[in-house]
Amino acid sequence: MRKQKRYERLKRMEDMKQKKENSVFENQSMMIWKIAIASALSWEIAKFTGSQHPYLAPLTIILCIKTTLEKTILFSFYRFVGTVIGIILIVLLAKYVQVNGFTLGIFILGGSFIAKWMKLNKVIIEQVALSILLVLALEQQSNGYAWDRIKDTLIGAIVAILVKVYVFPSSGIKKATNACNNYSNHLTGLFIEFSNWIKGGCDPVKGVEFQNQLKKDYQYLDQMKMDLNQTSKAFSYFPFCSKKGEVVKILHQKTKNISKGYLYLSNVTGTFKEWGKAGTMTDQDKASWANQMKLFSERASNISSNSPIVTNDSMIISIPMELINWQYHVSLFQETKEFLNGSSS
């Protein structure tokens, strides 16, 4: 039993990791085109500037172009900073030391700890170590390698960002728009499914299926919101991108509204499941809550960036007068019960 629970936890962690890596903007075909175009451009620019090692520029392209603009900018910055720090730490000594495993280890150890002392992140520390390795090994064989590495890394970083921003930018936005619309339509269908589920008495097995699906969907929407928010901010730093940034900002707000619907369903599923298992739902209860979900489905079909699912007239369920004084106690009791159940699982 413990092994099964441990496996399920590991599976959930792996699913979350995969969702984070698979951005809403991800389009493998466009990524391949952008990497190829940027690599060709950066090579020619590096050659034009007199580089003897022009492959360093497309190498930066391949390493730094990511699924989102914000990640591309960050990885490009990290690679350049790490390269510069690594070269500064080694270039003055590279000509005066014998290259062997011992000296390499000493320099990587010292350089990496200096980067850690400077409170730089893991990616920069990796680039520091990589630059120390390559400069120590190649500077003695090819004069100018250190300078070429700094210059060509900068060229590659700039080209990676510019290609990400200006080459086929609408493809990622179109994909994000489609994903947002799909989740909006799916939410409408979910409210209808919930309405029918409640009418049928809230079968616990179906409730578990709802919970698992809603959890996965909400995790993806949460990552989607983050990607959209970061991308809308990143677009604001580039000329001629204000309209694209505004479109992404609207998508971000719409996604926030959609995710609220998924979160609501995720929160109430457990209660409905327990209520159905207890067998105390009356026909009136079923009809009232089914109609409530049906109303939400109608509102969800018209959801937009400035039109949330719920408004002041969305609530058709009411509490009997004799239970008004108990509503907070019952709500807190249910939340506490869910907390205890979650802690023991």
Side-chain angles (χ1 to χ4, degrees):
M1 188 67 179
R2 288 183 178 178
K3 288 184 177 179
Q4 179 65 23
K5 288 185 177 180
R6 183 172 180 271
Y7 171 79
E8 290 175 356
R9 284 197 298 270
L10 291 173
K11 185 68 169 61
R12 288 196 297 268
M13 291 172 64
E14 184 64 27
D15 289 341
M16 290 176 65
K17 180 181 178 182
Q18 190 66 29
K19 286 179 181 292
K20 287 182 178 181
E21 291 174 353
N22 294 336
S23 165
V24 66
F25 293 100
E26 183 177 22
N27 184 317
Q28 290 186 347
S29 296
M30 289 297 102
M31 280 281 289
I32 292 170
W33 273 103
K34 290 182 179 184
I35 290 173
I37 292 170
S39 296
L41 285 174
S42 63
W43 177 289
E44 293 302 322
I45 294 172
K47 287 286 288 184
F48 180 77
T49 59
S51 175
Q52 299 300 311
H53 309 85
Y55 61 85
L56 293 169
L59 176 62
T60 298
I61 297 290
I62 294 168
L63 293 174
C64 293
I65 286 190
K66 303 297 179 182
T67 53
T68 66
L69 174 58
E70 192 260 353
K71 288 179 182 177
T72 300
I73 293 172
L74 283 179
F75 272 81
S76 298
F77 173 75
Y78 293 156
R79 177 165 170 78
F80 179 69
V81 171
T83 297
V84 171
I85 292 174
I87 290 175
I88 290 175
L89 293 174
I90 194 64
V91 72
L92 298 177
L93 302 174
K95 295 181 179 179
Y96 307 106
V97 297
Q98 181 180 0
V99 179
N100 55 47
F102 179 75
T103 55
L104 173 64
I106 291 296
F107 281 125
I108 289 179
L109 183 66
S112 298
F113 267 107
I114 289 174
K116 182 178 182 295
W117 174 73
M118 296 172 67
K119 296 184 179 179
L120 302 176
N121 69 19
K122 178 177 177 289
V123 178
I124 296 181
I125 293 174
E126 289 173 353
Q127 294 303 317
V128 168
L130 183 60
S131 294
I132 290 174
L133 167 64
L134 294 177
V135 172
L136 188 64
L138 300 177
E139 180 65 20
Q140 293 177 335
Q141 302 173 20
S142 176
N143 290 332
Y145 175 83
W147 167 243
D148 278 353
R149 184 169 179 80
I150 291 177
K151 176 173 63 65
D152 294 348
T153 297
L154 179 60
I155 291 171
I158 292 173
V159 172
I161 294 169
L162 293 178
V163 167
K164 186 68 179 178
V165 173
Y166 295 109
V167 177
F168 309 126
S170 299
S171 62
I173 296 175
K174 183 178 180 181
K175 189 172 185 294
T177 302
N178 290 338
C180 192
N181 291 336
N182 289 339
Y183 271 99
S184 177
N185 294 334
H186 185 233
L187 180 61
T188 301
L190 274 176
F191 275 118
I192 294 174
E193 286 186 52
F194 259 73
S195 178
N196 294 331
W197 178 55
I198 293 169
K199 283 180 184 178
C202 302
D203 173 42
V205 175
K206 185 64 176 176
V208 173
E209 293 178 7
F210 276 135
Q211 285 179 314
N212 293 335
Q213 184 59 47
L214 286 164
K215 186 174 183 179
K216 291 180 181 179
D217 289 340
Y218 186 75
Q219 286 173 352
Y220 184 80
L221 280 167
D222 198 43
Q223 182 63 38
M224 186 172 165
K225 284 189 297 182
M226 187 183 303
D227 288 345
L228 288 167
N229 186 42
Q230 292 172 344
T231 301
S232 67
K233 291 179 179 178
F235 267 131
S236 65
Y237 299 120
F238 296 92
F240 314 112
C241 291
S242 57
K243 289 184 178 180
K244 294 182 181 66
E246 191 60 32
V247 170
V248 176
K249 187 176 181 180
I250 291 172
L251 284 175
H252 172 246
Q253 185 58 47
K254 182 177 179 179
T255 304
K256 284 177 65 177
N257 289 337
I258 293 171
S259 67
K260 290 176 183 177
Y262 280 88
L263 181 61
Y264 165 74
L265 288 176
S266 181
N267 287 340
V268 300
T269 301
T271 301
F272 277 119
K273 185 181 69 175
E274 293 298 320
W275 197 0
K277 187 185 296 184
T280 58
M281 288 186 78
T282 65
D283 290 339
Q284 180 61 39
D285 292 330
K286 295 174 185 177
S288 298
W289 280 104
N291 289 334
Q292 179 69 76
M293 295 299 166
K294 189 176 180 181
L295 175 61
F296 285 155
S297 74
E298 295 170 0
R299 298 293 172 85
S301 64
N302 296 315
I303 195 170
S304 67
S305 60
N306 55 3
S307 177
I309 295 175
V310 291
T311 54
N312 291 333
D313 61 343
S314 300
M315 189 75 170
I316 60 176
I317 294 291
S318 60
I319 298 178
M321 288 301 298
E322 62 270 20
L323 297 180
I324 289 292
N325 293 333
W326 287 91
Q327 61 179 316
Y328 303 111
H329 178 83
V330 172
S331 179
L332 289 169
F333 173 82
Q334 186 62 31
E335 290 293 333
T336 304
K337 183 180 177 183
E338 290 293 326
F339 171 68
L340 292 174
N341 289 340
S343 298
S344 61
S345 63

